[in-house]
Amino acid sequence: MSRTVRLGAGMAFWGDSVRPAIEMVERGDIDYLCCDHLAELTMSILAKQRARNSSLGYTRDILDLLRGALPTCVEKGIKVVTNSGGANPRAAAEGVVALCKELGVSGVRVAVVTGDDIETDIDDLIGQGVDFANLDTGEPLSTVRDRLTHAAVYTGCEGIVEALRQGADIVICGRVTDIALYLGPLIHEFGWATDDWERLGMATVVAHAIECGGQATGGLYAGDWAGVDGLENLGYPIAEVAEDGTAVLTKTPASGGRVDVGTVSEQLVYEILDPANYLTADVTADFTGVTLEEVGLDRVRITGGTGKPAPQTLKVNMGYRAGFVGEAQFTYTWPDAWQKAQRGITFLKKRLERAGFEYTDEIIEYLGQTSMWGSRVPEPRDPDIPEIVVRYAARCPDQEQARKVFTESVALYNNGPAGVAGVGTRPPLKELYAIWPCLIPREHVRQSVELLEV
């Protein structure tokens, strides 16, 4: 008989609700719970936390998830694969081990997969000819080298496969790709070769269809969004994967949302750029022949994907400090709200100029009017508009300059036009982090696995 491996998408981002994952473990009859916690900004935040405290730097929601799901996972033999390790996989694993002891759960093997963090190796790698030029601008890394906060390679699934081969029950990774969280268990279970491009490509299509959690089951659905019931109890997707990499997609039983051709289609085209060449660390997937077929209530069969050899380079997520945001917000009311708002903006800018304000760029938006669409929609000039909310923000080189924005806006209360409100209290300063996308030849990256036992 043909085998089926059931993969559940437990998390889609750091801060996602842990309830869908716990419910899936309880009711979903899955073999693996695959949890994605990372995004580009997440890595910058985690690196900042690690710099302040060496025991931090991972997404602590993995502990909340496992507190609710671990006893059932152990009872049912469900393995957990997660990139919650972020900038500090070892600390995450130690946190999981401590949780196991707290819950009285024994016999659990926790694997730590590392090798993605190359921050301390950058200068040596440059000496070996890796230039780390910015993918978007071509600029050399030297322009931001002294402001780097982290450097993490989007690694593939080889470390996950090895961890599972060693008998891990929970696999904690750093910045592995989202797709790797799903490919690793499938290669381990089916024994696929790492150059079986057809199966890996098909499985990548399947992984991509479910990796964003509720987006495949009716969340963020732009189609018949009003007809999706139970969004407040949205079930997360499950892939029943066959040995050839094809799958039937479904969701946690007795949960909200739905799985149909519409919901799955929208997720499939999310962030893939060229559908014939979807680049991942493990395979270049081809989505162009994919077919979706509804085979039952909340059941969609997905076939037709294939693949080509993996890229010779891996993407690196580097982050660097990019200044601070100075911002102010104020509201003007009828009559003449538009004219008053313009006078208020001029007032603020002149006071900032007098204060020697330094900035590199600025934005002025009218909340509820232009903040989403910008200049593509008309400004709110209606003379009878009841109120206008202005937000002014500027990118500043340091905290001192950023503080000036709110400081100089406060005087609007009694020195500016009448009818002002909402200046409020001083907002917390926000430090800006920017992404430096670049590449590294894959031969410079090696993953390693360490096994901790409870």
Side-chain angles (χ1 to χ4, degrees), residues 79-211:
K79 295 181 182 291
V80 179
V81 182
T82 168
N83 59 13
S84 60
N88 201 344
R90 177 61 190 250
E94 290 173 350
V96 171
V97 169
L99 177 64
C100 289
K101 294 177 179 177
E102 177 189 333
L103 297 176
V105 176
S106 60
V108 176
R109 288 156 292 190
V110 181
V112 186
V113 178
T114 55
D116 61 298
D117 188 347
I118 61 168
E119 183 179 4
T120 59
D121 302 321
I122 289 175
D123 293 333
D124 181 58
L125 288 165
I126 290 174
Q128 296 180 51
V130 182
D131 62 12
F132 296 117
N134 189 297
L135 275 175
D136 297 327
T137 67
E139 294 177 280
L141 183 62
S142 58
T143 60
V144 299
R145 178 69 179 91
D146 61 340
R147 290 182 282 148
L148 285 184
T149 59
H150 71 277
V153 181
Y154 288 87
T155 49
C157 69
E158 58 267 27
I160 297 171
V161 176
E162 176 58 23
L164 294 172
R165 187 194 69 78
Q166 293 184 23
D169 301 299
I170 300 173
V171 183
I172 306 287
C173 306
R175 180 60 284 188
V176 298
T177 67
D178 309 348
I179 299 299
L181 299 171
Y182 299 88
L183 286 190
L186 294 175
I187 291 175
H188 171 70
E189 292 288 342
F190 291 130
W192 293 341
T194 55
D195 61 355
D196 189 340
W197 307 124
E198 183 173 355
R199 285 184 171 86
L200 293 178
M202 180 66 244
T204 294
V205 173
V206 172
H208 180 71
I210 68 171
E211 63 169 319

Side-chain angles (χ1 to χ4, degrees), residues 198 201-203 205-206 244-247 275 285-292 301-307:
E198 183 173 355
M202 180 66 244
V205 173
V206 172
D244 62 357
T246 62
D286 184 347
F287 286 58
T288 57
V290 171
T291 299
L292 302 178
R301 187 183 305 281
I302 182 167
T303 58
T306 188

Side-chain angles (χ1 to χ4, degrees), residues 338 365-366 368-381:
W338 168 257
E365 57 188 10
Y366 306 99
Q369 304 285 338
T370 66
S371 54
M372 294 293 288
W373 293 94
S375 61
R376 290 171 289 182
V377 296
E379 294 176 324
R381 295 173 176 266

Side-chain angles (χ1 to χ4, degrees), residues 414-439:
N414 58 1
N415 293 9
V420 70
V423 176
T425 57
R426 183 181 296 275
L429 285 180
K430 301 174 185 175
E431 187 172 8
L432 290 171
Y433 291 86
I435 299 301
W436 186 272
C438 53
L439 300 175

Side-chain angles (χ1 to χ4, degrees), residues 185-406:
L186 294 175
I187 291 175
H188 171 70
E189 292 288 342
F190 291 130
W192 293 341
T194 55
D195 61 355
D196 189 340
W197 307 124
E198 183 173 355
R199 285 184 171 86
L200 293 178
M202 180 66 244
T204 294
V205 173
V206 172
H208 180 71
I210 68 171
E211 63 169 319
C212 291
Q215 287 185 205
T217 58
L220 290 185
Y221 185 35
D224 179 28
W225 62 268
V228 180
D229 295 327
L231 288 176
E232 50 288 319
N233 185 38
L234 195 63
Y236 276 22
I238 297 169
E240 302 171 350
V241 187
E243 289 191 63
D244 62 357
T246 62
V248 172
L249 307 184
T250 184
K251 65 182 182 70
T252 302
S255 63
R258 72 185 192 213
V259 180
D260 60 22
V261 168
T263 63
V264 176
S265 293
E266 284 197 12
Q267 170 56 28
L268 273 181
V269 298
Y270 174 70
E271 291 186 341
I272 61 171
L273 297 179
D274 180 359
N277 295 283
Y278 178 57
L279 302 176
T280 79
D282 295 297
V283 62
T284 301
D286 184 347
F287 286 58
T288 57
V290 171
T291 299
L292 302 178
E293 177 189 5
E294 294 180 13
V295 294
L297 179 63
D298 293 322
R299 294 181 65 80
V300 172
R301 187 183 305 281
I302 182 167
T303 58
T306 188
K308 293 170 272 191
Q312 292 302 305
T313 53
L314 299 174
K315 187 176 179 180
V316 185
N317 174 330
M318 292 189 186
Y320 64 95
R321 289 185 166 86
F324 290 81
V325 177
E327 59 185 324
Q329 182 174 306
F330 48 90
T331 302
Y332 277 101
T333 62
W334 181 92
D336 304 320
W338 168 257
Q339 290 87 343
K340 292 174 183 176
Q342 299 314 296
R343 186 66 181 89
I345 293 169
T346 301
F347 175 99
L348 175 59
K349 285 190 169 186
K350 286 186 175 181
R351 286 185 67 95
L352 286 171
E353 182 179 359
R354 190 176 67 178
F357 182 53
E358 299 174 15
Y359 68 99
T360 54
D361 55 86
E362 65 180 3
I363 182 172
I364 298 170
E365 57 188 10
Y366 306 99
L367 302 188
Q369 304 285 338
T370 66
S371 54
M372 294 293 288
W373 293 94
S375 61
R376 290 171 289 182
V377 296
E379 294 176 324
R381 295 173 176 266
D382 183 349
D384 293 321
I385 193 169
E387 64 184 35
I388 290 179
V389 182
V390 179
R391 177 178 177 269
Y392 173 90
R395 184 191 299 267
C396 307
D398 54 45
Q399 297 183 58
E400 178 184 358
Q401 296 300 322
R403 288 192 184 97
K404 291 179 180 179
V405 177
F406 179 80

